[in-house]
Amino acid sequence: MRERSTCQAGQVSETTAVTVTFAGCGDAFGSGGRFQACIHLRSASLDAPVLLDCGATSLTALRRCGLDPGEIGAVFVSHLHGDHFGGLPFLILDGQFSRRTAPLVLAGPLGTGQRLTEAMECMFPASSQVRRRFEVSVVELAPGRTASVAGITASTYPASHPSGAPALILRLAVGPKVIAYTGDTAWTAAVGQASAGADLLIAEAYYWDKPVPHHLRYADLADHAREITARRVVLTHMSADMLARQRQAIHETARDGLAITV
Ligand SMILES: [Zn+2]
Ligand SMILES: [Zn+2]
């Protein structure tokens, strides 16, 4: 496993390797000047790169990393909060205005299709009904299921995070590599189950140890360390409180533009 010093995710040498670029790794409120959740996965085993979450700031985050939004073949959405799915209308409209032709698959919780239509109509009236040169398809994933989406085997686990739809913890098999992502969730045994033996767990660490409902704290990850068997853990979605203490964490911490290979 190697870490790259820049956010430019280049070609990887191994056909099974996955380059994970944290284009955005912040919380909802711009703590530390960070972009909202937008994690870019590229692998020679995939036809096109995919995103894990697409927060409202994602197009800026991707372009800052030199990553082309028009290349994205699929987006896996953990839950329907704006800092995790609010960038989808912009991604779709960018494709429309840039004359995209490649299909785009959006995989998210039950209710994703309706919430996406509502978000598009709220922000850009009539935009949800426009005929486009490219197909946008929505795949709704119930918790506890496994589905094949865009060449990835995606397994979903129930997160504990009210967001108007059943929030998901994701376990993605990209070729032989397994990447798990907590999204936002209070501690649940599903975090350990979703990331069992994974090559990488991307874990929310919102606060250090302050009790806060519906979110993971660093203290939760420390308390349940025995249940976390992923080979590598990278912390994300950090508040100002957590950012100030991140050097005390035993895990790696993300920053916008960090690119790693697993
Ligand atoms: Zn969030
Ligand atoms: Zn959330």
Side-chain angles (χ1 to χ4, degrees), residues 22-214:
F22 295 86
C25 67
D27 64 5
F29 309 112
S31 296
R34 297 179 172 209
F35 293 118
Q36 296 170 4
C38 180
I39 302 162
H40 182 280
L41 310 182
R42 183 193 298 279
S43 172
S45 68
L46 297 175
D47 290 340
V50 305
L51 294 183
L52 277 177
D53 279 342
C54 186
T57 56
S58 292
L59 263 65
T60 312
L62 289 168
R63 294 196 200 284
R64 181 160 287 198
C65 284
L67 298 170
D68 180 3
E71 278 189 346
I72 305 300
V75 183
F76 292 87
V77 175
S78 65
H79 67 289
L80 300 180
H81 274 158
D83 58 317
H84 296 260
F85 94 111
L88 293 180
F90 302 103
L91 181 64
I92 293 168
L93 292 176
D94 180 66
Q96 180 180 324
F97 297 135
S98 63
R99 298 178 166 255
R100 174 183 178 133
T101 56
L104 176 64
V105 180
L106 308 176
L110 299 173
T112 294
Q114 180 182 343
R115 289 281 291 279
L116 175 61
T117 298
E118 292 168 356
M120 293 194 73
E121 289 301 315
C122 177
M123 293 195 285
F124 300 98
S127 66
S128 71
Q129 303 305 322
V130 173
R131 288 191 62 186
R132 302 185 181 87
R133 289 182 176 81
F134 65 103
E135 179 188 3
V136 178
S137 56
V138 174
V139 179
E140 298 192 349
L141 304 169
R145 298 292 179 85
T146 296
S148 180
V149 178
I152 290 174
T153 302
S155 300
T156 57
Y157 296 75
S160 175
H161 189 74
S163 47
L168 303 173
I169 299 169
L170 296 165
R171 178 186 176 93
L172 304 184
V174 185
K177 303 289 185 177
V178 173
I179 297 171
Y181 175 47
T182 64
D184 294 356
T185 184
W187 173 262
T188 156
V191 172
Q193 294 159 6
S195 60
D199 296 283
L200 174 66
L201 168 63
I202 302 166
E204 179 188 27
Y206 195 27
Y207 279 82
W208 180 261
D209 62 0
K210 175 182 159 185
V212 53
H214 316 310

Side-chain angles (χ1 to χ4, degrees), residues 141 168 180-181 218 223 240-241 253:
L141 304 169
L168 303 173
Y181 175 47
Y218 178 74
D223 288 348
D241 163 79
T253 53

